[in-house]
Amino acid sequence: MSYLAHLRVWHGDADGGELRDHVVEAAEGEVVLDLVHRLQATECPDLAVRWNCKAGKCGSCSAEINGKPKLMCMTRMSTFATDEVITVTPMRTFPVIKDLVCDVSFNYVKAREVPAFEPPADLEPGEYRMQQVDVQRSQEFRKCIECFLCQDVCHVIRDHEDNKEAFSGPRFLMRVAELEMHPLDARGETRADRPDEAREEHGLGLCNITRCCTDVCPEHIQITDNALIPLKERAADRYYDPLLRLFRR
Ligand code: F3S
């Protein structure tokens, strides 16, 4: 069964833009990205949209659909009433380049600020041994497809451009947590602790556990419960533990 769907799509660039209404044919089983492609193929050949795998694995087609951060390729048209107006806008937290395409380079800057895994000095590659439970813990975080929807939704930077300098966002705090929980990461032994870095350099304290990042994750990673809260607990232990404070001094 096909029908005519009503899309309201944002067109514009860094200097400004507008929402324009379009009527686009929709067929059974299609997703929002299919309709955006049909729009490109018919009325709007210059509509800019970033996409790649169309299978929810590349993290490219992130946008806001009716104001909610989502992957366009994983949002089924069947979740909307056939007469509903579906609004498609670019992610709000990042600067627009054109139409639905944003400049997400903020995230690559933050990624570079997280120091890499440091292998133990006394082990050669091939000699690393880990418990399965530790492997599984980091595997959950490794499912991240870097769609940056969690970064887009987090109010700390969504509503406060001036926090971007100090706050790395849930995706990269999760990376710090993954490394902190890695039993072979030797960084804490040689330099600053990862939880200290999370607090001082990645703005962990600005996260007030709203859980919006977890709600929008297309991989269903428990970002808040399994990464951010444990990281906060470890940071608080180090900072407030009276004995540790004494040693620090
Ligand atoms: Fe932001 Fe997630 Fe914390 S949305 S406030 S990083 S729980």
Side-chain angles (χ1 to χ4, degrees), residues 3 11 57 75 103 114 126 128 192 213 223 248:
Y3 65 98
H11 296 255
K57 288 293 163 202
T75 307
D103 175 1
V114 179
Y128 300 171
C213 49
I223 304 171
R248 256 183 232 270

Side-chain angles (χ1 to χ4, degrees), residues 153-156 167 170 206-213 224 228:
V153 82
C154 178
H155 70 99
V156 176
F167 188 64
L206 290 169
C207 161
N208 52 357
I209 321 182
T210 57
R211 287 197 160 82
C212 311
C213 49
T224 320
L228 304 183

Side-chain angles (χ1 to χ4, degrees), residues 43-56:
E43 263 182 75
C44 308
D46 67 338
L47 177 70
V49 56
R50 188 181 278 138
W51 70 284
N52 197 345
C53 75
K54 210 170 167 276

